[in-house]
Amino acid sequence: MCILCALTCFKMSKRKGKVIADVTAAKCCRMTAVCAKDLPDDASHQPSSSSFPHSVTGDIGLIESITLRNFMCHHFLSPFHFGPNVNFIVGNNGSGKSAILTALIVGLGGKATVTSRAASLKDFVKSGENTASITVKLRNRGPDAYKKDVYGDCISIEHRISSDGYRTCRLKSKSGQLISNKKEELTAILDHFNIQLDNPVSILNQEMSKQFLHSKSESDKYKFFMKATLLEQMKRDYMHIKHTKMVTRRQVERQEEVRDKEQLVQQLKEDIEKEENDYKHHENLQLCQTNVIQVEKKLQCIKSRTDSLIAERDSQSEESLKLKEQMKTMSKTYKEKELVYLRALNKVKQSEQEQNLIHEKLKKATASPSLSSDGETEYAKRRKILSNVKVQLAELENKYTHLNQEIKAKHQALLKGKEERDKLSLEERNVQVSYEFKLKRKDQLLASRSNKLRRFGDHVPELLDSISEAYAAGHFLKKPLGPIGACISLKDPTLAVAVECCLRSFMKAFCCDNYKDEAVLQRLMARYYPKGNRPQIIVSPFFEKVYNIHGRKASHPEYPSVLDIITATSPIIINCLIDMRGIESVLIIKEKDKARRVMQQRRPPKNCREAFTVEGDQVHPNRYYTSDLSIAKYLGGDLESEISMLETDLENQQAQLSRFKLQVISVTEDIARMQNELNSSIVTLKKTLASVNQVKATVTELESAGEEQIDDISSLEEVARENQEKIEAEKQTVQDAKKELDNYQNMVEDIGCKYSSVRERIDQLSVEMEPLKDEQLKLEAECAKHEQNLKILESKLGSHEDTIQAMKADLVQREEELQEYVAKASKISPERQQVTVSTKSIDLEITRLKKTMRMYESSHGEHEQVVREYAEALALYREKINQVRDLRRFIDRLDDIISDRQNRYKIMRRSLSVRCKLYFNNFLIKMNCCGSMIFDHSNETLSISVKPPGREDDDVSDMRSLSGGERSFSTICFMLSLWEITESPFRCLDEFDVYMDMHNRRISLDLLLELSERQHLRQFIFITPLTTRSLPKSKLIKIHQLQDPEGSRSETRGEDV
């Protein structure tokens, strides 16, 4: 009973037992609250038609409508359809304004005394009627809706009150279907929506407002503040916890502490002899050493074979690169020779055309009169000059072509250098990323030496501690479990890589029972992880038994499923992996070839979707994925070997980074040098092009001048002979270029054949190395396993020998003690006493002893029964001792928890009071008033002082000296301050402006509308008997005008303004 009493003190399942901190934490994800640190700006307090730009409204807890029948003095008030933001209920006295507010409290399950209008529910039934009914509809939308699949977008709450005070409740869905009629379900709905009927911040009726206005006691105001912020309820809860803890501690201290002292008798000689004759450790050690030697020999042979293949492949690769470069060079030369050949061929054709043209001119000249010798001499001179200029033009064109080719080559080399630099930079970045990842992994492994949970992240142990603390504080309905990888273990450790490749990201995931717990866990994770980099949270109802997967599980006579090879600390983990990963339908097949044969060459086993090999390769019926994971990160057992491998990889990658940096610097310098050379060649090319154009112009000028001269026969014949000789020379050049082109073509084809053969040999070597690599990895894993077993056996053998030595020493000590006891006995009786009694006497003595035993058994019961009862009593006693010990620890921890919570309670109380002061002063400024609020938490008093405009120097500042309107305005300011620091889906204020003049009422309305604009996700209901014509026009403001009472009938009319 003590344990139950102590544990139950934290379970505040009732609505009134919830503290405001828990309420705020639970609802912050469903309703965005106004930040308390951002005080309202004085310059923007005036509402207007553009002051309500928000179109977003609250999703849950808003009042959609209310309907009354035979309630108080009203026969029927038709459904009030409230708007999602601001609602004004306007009407004269007796029209039913306060009846709507009272019905709202009663319709949501409130007591009659909370309404301050009656002492019993039967007083609300209209005179002459037997029953009264109230129907309230609450909004239930969005992701945080309460049982949306059951209730829908709206929850209808129907209360029927009989004339004898009996009340029934019916909860219906949006479609009108009856869901429940239990009070507990209604309480759960109000808790989920954070609706507090007895909190004046949510609903402030006339009586409570008058009470506050006319109250002269500062302690009453302080109680009002404490009740509004739920600090009073928190205080009562802490007092109850302290009292329960004190009673439990007294009961525990009265318990007697008794410890069983058991004496263990060891037969040292037999144990030593047994241990010495036990050769199992030596045999296992020798067998393991033999296995290690054999595996190392095999591994050495495979390594030598692999090294030879790698050396051959490297040499072939070098030869391939040389041949490739040679082939590129030859191809380039071949293209150049081909270009020379085509140019020579074109020149021959051009010269033949010129020869034909000269022959035609010669024919014409033969038919025409002869020219003078002077003209003939001038033409020959011009032809000689033209010939020299053409030779110069040919040289310039050759130089231009050579420069152009040189620029292209340099440009290609520059592009190739840039590509090589980019490639080196990319490889350097990849190596850098891999280096940082492995360095982080090494840090995690080093940290996991002391705490294995750090394998799953640096902050996982702290996160689990925070989860335990939050669960102990009651923030979780059910404690989340995770990480999943820390909750599972393998029956066969060699399959760790396969299981991790199967589960992947689920290894670091957490399991939650519901979305409320998920929200709390998300807030805890936000302390340690940035957004977007948090572990996955799986939300699924917890079941304490593993699912029945009969008929869905993959079955194979040889190969197990993932479900078969793992064990978990809780069935919840297994169920989660079945839901999210389907581990019952995933097989583990160690060998690659067998996995392909089972999954792809024949029909896969029944219910089998995929399979994994021991290396982590994923095998589907129609595809195969190779794993990039070589060693287990989370389930691996050999931590030191993995750290050693990571250190070796880090050293290699560090050397690679240094080498890459040097190569990048060298390539960058080459690029700069080639760029300078390219720029210089481009300048020379431009100058050569200008010279070519100038010479071409000279040739054109000379040719045109020569055509004007009269052709003479001797000059034409000379030109024809020169041109013919030129044609012959060019034809010879064409033949030489053709031969050289054919030779280069043959050389290119030969080099291509050699390159193809080298590439085929490289591919063949890669294929031959693949099975050797696989076998080498297997042997390395087997060798590591044998070495680990060898270390374990050597440690066991050492401990075994130490145990034998300790037992021998103990035996020597006991023999010495035996000699001492024998010596002492010899002093008393030097000779050993011999038994002289006869056999008959001994039989009689045995008979007498048996009789005595039967007598004791008749009085105390049989020996077996007594022993059994003793064992049961002893087990029960030990269980109670453990319970008392655990309860002591819990009480000691509870002291620290209560101390911490009380400190937080004081900090929270101080924070709320300071924020309330700031908001109160800010609201008074809008009326050009000054005032203050003084909280005395030690004496539990609240002093409010207000000074109206023009009376700042007046010593009288108490609220009793103010007028009725000023006191009402001060009350509004105080309520608005409380609204800013508390949470509720809707706010109701009854006749807040009844004592105000029009100026103060206008300022109060502006303040209310300004606050409703900032808190647009909440619903506001204001009841006033005065006109609302001065309100701004907005779709977010809805005015309900009540008609004056006519007999026993009242009607309502809703008007959108």
Side-chain angles (χ1 to χ4, degrees):
M1 293 299 292
C2 299
I3 297 174
L4 293 175
C5 183
L7 291 174
T8 331
C9 67
F10 274 106
K11 295 181 179 178
M12 295 178 283
S13 59
K14 294 183 179 180
R15 293 182 57 255
K16 296 183 179 180
K18 287 195 173 181
V19 296
I20 190 170
D22 296 334
V23 170
T24 307
K27 304 302 174 186
C28 67
C29 63
R30 291 193 290 269
M31 183 180 294
T32 305
V34 177
C35 180
K37 296 181 181 179
D38 300 332
L39 294 177
D41 190 5
D42 296 338
S44 61
H45 74 281
Q46 293 294 338
S48 63
S49 60
S50 62
S51 300
F52 301 91
H54 304 289
S55 61
V56 181
T57 60
D59 288 334
I60 58 172
L62 304 186
I63 304 169
E64 292 191 348
S65 66
I66 183 171
T67 305
L68 313 180
R69 293 182 183 275
N70 300 327
F71 188 78
M72 296 179 67
C73 60
H74 305 282
H75 174 68
F76 175 73
L77 290 178
S78 61
F80 282 89
H81 295 283
F82 292 100
N85 294 103
V86 182
N87 296 270
F88 283 87
I89 300 177
V90 185
N92 295 325
N93 293 333
S95 60
K97 302 187 305 297
S98 298
I100 295 173
L101 188 61
T102 304
L104 178 61
I105 298 175
V106 177
L108 293 178
K111 297 180 180 179
T113 54
V114 178
T115 64
S116 303
R117 302 297 294 267
S120 175
L121 291 175
K122 63 182 179 182
D123 298 331
F124 291 124
V125 181
K126 185 181 179 182
S127 300
E129 300 292 341
N130 296 324
T131 59
S133 65
I134 306 169
T135 302
V136 180
K137 292 185 178 181
L138 300 179
R139 178 175 293 184
N140 188 45
R141 303 176 184 171
D144 296 316
Y146 181 82
K147 297 182 181 179
K148 189 172 182 180
D149 55 341
V150 177
Y151 288 97
D153 294 338
C154 177
I155 299 178
S156 179
I157 305 172
E158 297 181 4
H159 274 84
R160 185 177 295 274
I161 306 171
S162 61
S163 56
D164 55 358
Y166 181 77
R167 172 166 61 181
T168 58
C169 175
R170 295 162 64 88
L171 302 176
K172 296 183 178 181
S173 64
K174 182 179 181 180
S175 60
Q177 181 183 0
L178 178 63
I179 304 300
S180 175
N181 54 7
K182 295 182 180 180
K183 176 69 174 177
E184 292 77 10
E185 181 70 4
L186 177 59
T187 303
I189 293 173
L190 297 181
D191 284 342
H192 188 80
F193 292 164
N194 193 21
I195 298 175
Q196 306 151 15
L197 299 177
D198 55 348
N199 192 339
V201 171
S202 297
I203 302 175
L204 183 66
N205 54 32
Q206 296 181 29
E207 291 299 321
M208 191 168 293
S209 178
K210 291 177 183 178
Q211 219 173 11
F212 181 77
L213 285 172
H214 300 292
S215 174
K216 301 178 181 179
S217 173
E218 295 180 348
S219 61
D220 292 342
K221 297 175 184 177
Y222 185 85
K223 290 178 181 178
F224 184 90
F225 169 79
M226 295 289 285
K227 185 177 181 181
T229 56
L230 293 181
L231 292 172
E232 181 181 1
Q233 181 63 43
M234 292 174 64
K235 184 178 179 182
R236 287 199 301 267
D237 292 336
Y238 290 147
M239 291 176 64
H240 174 68
I241 292 172
K242 277 188 174 180
H243 175 71
T244 307
K245 185 202 68 173
M246 183 176 60
V247 172
T248 306
R249 185 183 288 278
R250 289 175 182 173
Q251 292 180 358
V252 170
E253 290 174 352
R254 286 196 297 267
Q255 301 293 330
E256 295 181 357
E257 296 184 357
V258 180
R259 296 181 179 178
D260 288 340
K261 298 181 179 180
E262 300 177 352
Q263 298 180 352
L264 301 176
V265 180
Q266 300 180 354
Q267 300 178 357
L268 294 177
K269 291 183 179 181
E270 294 180 2
D271 292 346
I272 290 174
E273 189 175 343
K274 180 180 177 182
E275 292 292 337
E276 286 180 344
N277 295 330
D278 189 2
Y279 297 103
K280 182 178 66 175
H281 296 289
H282 293 281
E283 294 175 357
N284 290 338
L285 182 62
Q286 292 176 359
L287 179 61
C288 188
Q289 288 175 347
T290 305
N291 291 335
V292 169
I293 293 171
Q294 292 176 356
V295 172
E296 286 180 347
K297 288 181 179 179
K298 292 181 181 179
L299 185 60
Q300 190 66 29
C301 294
I302 291 177
K303 280 186 176 179
S304 61
R305 175 63 177 160
T306 304
D307 292 339
S308 64
L309 291 176
I310 290 174
E312 185 178 357
R313 187 188 64 180
D314 293 340
S315 63
Q316 294 289 339
S317 298
E318 292 177 0
E319 187 177 356
S320 172
L321 292 175
K322 291 180 181 178
L323 290 173
K324 189 175 181 180
E325 292 296 330
Q326 190 176 358
M327 189 169 66
K328 286 183 179 178
T329 306
M330 296 299 294
S331 299
K332 183 178 179 181
T333 308
Y334 174 78
K335 290 181 181 178
E336 292 176 355
K337 296 297 181 182
E338 186 179 11
L339 184 62
V340 171
Y341 169 74
L342 294 175
R343 285 179 178 174
L345 194 61
N346 289 331
K347 284 184 178 181
V348 169
K349 292 180 180 180
Q350 185 177 1
S351 298
E352 288 178 349
Q353 290 177 359
E354 290 179 357
Q355 186 71 7
N356 295 331
L357 184 61
I358 291 172
H359 283 300
E360 291 179 0
K361 288 183 178 181
L362 188 59
K363 290 178 181 179
K364 293 179 180 179
T366 304
S368 61
S370 298
L371 297 175
S372 65
S373 60
D374 295 336
E376 185 176 339
T377 303
E378 183 180 356
Y379 178 78
K381 290 180 181 180
R382 188 176 289 109
R383 291 296 300 176
K384 188 175 182 180
I385 295 171
L386 180 62
S387 177
N388 293 333
V389 172
K390 284 186 177 182
V391 171
Q392 185 181 0
L393 177 62
E395 292 176 354
L396 290 173
E397 285 180 347
N398 290 333
K399 184 179 179 181
Y400 176 79
T401 303
H402 178 71
L403 285 173
N404 200 3
Q405 292 175 356
E406 184 180 353
I407 289 172
K408 288 182 180 179
K410 290 181 179 180
H411 187 67
Q412 291 294 331
L414 182 63
L415 292 178
K416 184 178 179 181
K418 290 183 178 179
E419 289 178 359
E420 185 177 359
R421 183 187 61 184
D422 296 339
K423 183 179 178 181
L424 289 174
S425 300
L426 179 61
E427 292 179 357
E428 181 183 7
R429 285 196 296 272
N430 294 334
V431 173
Q432 183 69 32
V433 171
S434 176
Y435 178 81
E436 292 174 356
F437 174 77
K438 290 184 178 179
L439 186 61
K440 183 178 179 181
R441 178 62 183 167
K442 177 188 171 184
D443 295 338
Q444 288 183 351
L445 291 176
L446 292 175
S448 65
R449 283 177 173 173
S450 58
N451 192 338
K452 291 184 178 180
L453 290 174
R454 295 199 183 275
R455 283 191 174 191
F456 301 89
D458 296 335
H459 304 291
V460 169
E462 291 79 6
L463 176 61
L464 292 178
D465 293 340
S466 301
I467 291 174
S468 300
E469 293 175 1
Y471 179 69
H475 296 164
F476 290 108
L477 299 178
K478 291 186 179 180
K479 185 179 179 181
L481 300 179
I484 290 178
C487 300
I488 64 175
S489 59
L490 301 179
K491 299 177 182 178
D492 186 358
T494 61
L495 301 177
V497 175
V499 174
E500 287 193 14
C501 288
C502 176
L503 300 184
R504 290 288 181 180
S505 61
F506 294 115
M507 293 294 295
K508 299 171 70 175
F510 284 76
C511 302
C512 283
D513 177 69
N514 52 76
Y515 287 100
K516 181 179 179 183
D517 289 350
E518 182 207 11
V520 178
L521 183 57
Q522 286 283 11
R523 289 195 295 275
L524 293 179
M525 285 184 177
R527 303 177 186 174
Y528 308 104
Y529 298 96
K531 189 173 182 181
N533 196 22
R534 300 174 186 171
Q536 182 181 359
I537 300 177
I538 302 170
V539 180
S540 179
F542 288 176
F543 292 98
E544 298 301 329
K545 293 183 179 180
V546 178
Y547 293 153
N548 181 11
I549 57 173
H550 180 70
R552 295 190 291 126
K553 183 176 180 294
S555 58
H556 195 278
E558 298 181 22
Y559 309 115
S561 66
V562 177
L563 178 62
D564 296 329
I565 65 172
I566 67 173
T567 57
T569 57
S570 172
I572 296 170
I573 300 296
I574 299 295
N575 293 336
C576 179
L577 293 178
I578 290 174
D579 288 336
M580 302 302 296
R581 187 61 183 90
I583 59 174
E584 79 282 2
S585 60
V586 180
L587 291 181
I588 300 296
I589 306 173
K590 292 186 178 181
E591 294 81 2
K592 294 181 180 179
D593 298 335
K594 292 182 179 179
R596 289 180 182 272
R597 185 169 61 253
V598 172
M599 295 298 295
Q600 296 180 350
Q601 295 181 5
R602 62 183 70 172
R603 187 175 182 182
K606 184 179 180 182
N607 298 325
C608 179
R609 295 186 296 105
E610 56 185 315
F612 283 86
T613 65
V614 72
E615 294 88 358
D617 295 348
Q618 190 176 10
V619 187
H620 289 273
N622 56 353
R623 56 192 184 278
Y624 187 98
Y625 297 109
T626 303
S627 172
D628 56 352
L629 186 66
S630 60
I631 190 170
K633 294 182 180 179
Y634 309 109
L635 302 178
D638 194 355
L639 188 64
E640 297 300 329
S641 64
E642 186 175 355
I643 292 175
S644 177
M645 290 176 60
L646 283 175
E647 289 177 348
T648 304
D649 292 343
L650 287 173
E651 291 176 359
N652 294 335
Q653 289 185 347
Q654 184 67 34
Q656 287 181 2
L657 286 175
S658 301
R659 188 166 63 254
F660 278 135
K661 288 180 180 178
L662 294 176
Q663 290 178 354
V664 168
I665 293 172
S666 175
V667 172
T668 304
E669 293 176 354
D670 292 341
I671 289 174
R673 178 179 53 77
M674 288 189 291
Q675 185 68 46
N676 294 332
E677 292 178 357
L678 179 62
N679 294 334
S680 176
S681 298
I682 291 173
V683 172
T684 306
L685 180 67
K686 289 181 179 178
K687 293 180 179 179
T688 304
L689 183 61
S691 300
V692 168
N693 293 332
Q694 184 177 1
V695 172
K696 282 184 178 180
T698 304
V699 170
T700 304
E701 182 180 355
L702 290 173
E703 287 180 348
S704 60
E707 288 177 356
E708 293 177 357
Q709 296 292 333
I710 300 174
D711 297 334
D712 59 53
I713 297 173
S714 60
S715 297
L716 288 176
E717 288 177 351
E718 184 180 355
V719 170
R721 283 194 303 271
E722 291 176 357
N723 200 22
Q724 185 64 33
E725 292 174 357
K726 183 179 178 182
I727 290 173
E728 294 298 332
E730 288 177 350
K731 284 183 178 180
Q732 185 64 33
T733 304
V734 169
Q735 290 177 359
D736 296 339
K738 180 63 175 175
K739 290 180 181 179
E740 193 173 357
L741 182 64
D742 293 339
N743 292 333
Y744 274 103
Q745 185 175 4
N746 294 330
M747 293 172 62
V748 169
E749 291 176 355
D750 293 339
I751 293 174
C753 293
K754 291 181 181 179
Y755 178 74
S756 300
S757 63
V758 171
R759 290 307 305 174
E760 289 176 359
R761 179 56 182 166
I762 291 174
D763 296 338
Q764 184 180 359
L765 290 174
S766 300
V767 173
E768 291 178 1
M769 287 174 59
E770 188 67 27
L772 291 177
K773 284 185 178 179
D774 296 339
E775 189 173 357
Q776 181 182 355
L777 291 175
K778 289 181 182 179
L779 289 176
E780 287 177 351
E782 187 177 355
C783 183
K785 181 180 178 182
H786 286 311
E787 288 177 352
Q788 184 179 2
N789 293 334
L790 182 61
K791 291 180 182 178
I792 295 172
L793 290 173
E794 288 176 350
S795 63
K796 285 185 178 179
L797 181 60
S799 62
H800 178 66
E801 292 175 351
D802 294 340
T803 304
I804 291 175
Q805 294 298 328
M807 294 175 70
K808 284 183 178 180
D810 196 8
L811 177 60
V812 171
Q813 182 182 357
R814 295 304 175 97
E815 286 178 346
E816 292 175 355
E817 292 178 359
L818 179 61
Q819 294 297 331
E820 292 178 1
Y821 283 120
V822 170
K824 291 179 180 179
S826 299
K827 292 179 182 180
I828 299 171
S829 177
E831 296 180 359
R832 184 183 294 274
Q833 296 292 328
Q834 301 294 330
V835 179
T836 57
V837 183
S838 63
T839 306
K840 186 176 180 180
S841 300
I842 294 174
D843 291 337
L844 292 174
E845 183 67 16
I846 291 172
T847 304
R848 185 182 65 79
L849 292 174
K850 288 183 177 179
K851 185 178 179 181
T852 304
M853 289 175 61
R854 285 195 297 271
M855 182 178 65
Y856 277 110
E857 286 179 356
S858 62
S859 60
H860 298 288
E862 295 182 358
H863 177 71
E864 291 79 9
Q865 182 179 359
V866 172
V867 172
R868 185 170 61 253
E869 291 176 356
Y870 168 76
E872 292 175 355
L874 181 62
L876 182 61
Y877 169 74
R878 289 177 177 173
E879 181 183 356
K880 296 301 180 184
I881 286 294
N882 292 332
Q883 290 180 358
V884 171
R885 183 177 65 253
D886 295 339
L887 192 55
R888 275 204 190 94
R889 293 175 182 172
F890 175 76
I891 292 173
D892 294 336
R893 186 180 178 191
L894 188 60
D895 289 332
D896 299 334
I897 294 174
I898 290 177
S899 176
D900 180 65
R901 292 298 291 269
Q902 284 183 334
N903 292 333
R904 294 186 182 186
Y905 167 80
K906 292 178 181 178
I907 294 172
M908 181 179 180
R909 182 179 63 184
R910 180 177 176 276
S911 173
L912 291 175
S913 59
V914 170
R915 289 164 59 193
C916 189
K917 287 180 187 179
L918 293 175
Y919 282 110
F920 181 77
N921 292 334
N922 188 274
F923 288 130
L924 285 180
I925 290 174
K926 300 183 184 301
M927 191 182 173
N928 297 325
C929 297
C930 59
S932 64
M933 298 177 70
I934 301 174
F935 288 86
D936 187 354
H937 297 296
S938 58
N939 297 321
E940 297 185 351
T941 60
L942 171 58
S943 174
I944 301 177
S945 60
V946 179
K947 293 181 180 180
R951 298 170 59 184
E952 290 81 6
D953 299 332
D954 194 348
D955 294 333
V956 180
S957 60
D958 191 81
M959 289 182 62
R960 288 173 292 177
S961 63
L962 303 176
S963 65
E966 291 172 340
R967 275 190 291 173
S968 296
F969 179 79
S970 302
T971 304
I972 290 295
C973 293
F974 182 59
M975 283 301 301
L976 292 178
S977 303
L978 293 177
W979 283 1
E980 291 281 7
I981 62 175
T982 55
E983 295 282 341
S984 181
F986 59 84
R987 321 279 199 184
C988 298
L989 205 57
D990 188 8
E991 295 190 0
F992 62 96
D993 54 354
V994 68
Y995 297 110
M996 296 183 186
D997 56 16
M998 294 308 295
H999 175 69
N1000 290 334
R1001 183 173 183 267
R1002 181 60 198 172
I1003 296 176
S1004 299
L1005 287 175
D1006 291 344
L1007 291 177
L1008 292 173
L1009 294 179
E1010 179 186 351
L1011 185 133
S1012 66
E1013 177 187 0
R1014 292 198 306 273
Q1015 301 182 4
H1016 58 276
L1017 295 181
R1018 295 193 180 93
Q1019 187 182 42
F1020 296 84
I1021 300 175
F1022 305 118
I1023 299 176
T1024 175
L1026 305 179
T1027 181
T1028 56
R1029 294 178 180 176
S1030 61
L1031 292 176
K1033 294 183 179 181
S1034 173
K1035 294 181 179 179
L1036 302 180
I1037 301 177
K1038 191 171 186 179
I1039 301 175
H1040 305 270
Q1041 181 70 44
L1042 302 184
Q1043 295 183 357
D1044 294 335
E1046 297 177 4
S1048 61
R1049 182 176 62 85
S1050 297
E1051 296 180 354
T1052 62
R1053 177 174 58 90
E1055 176 184 3
D1056 290 338
V1057 179

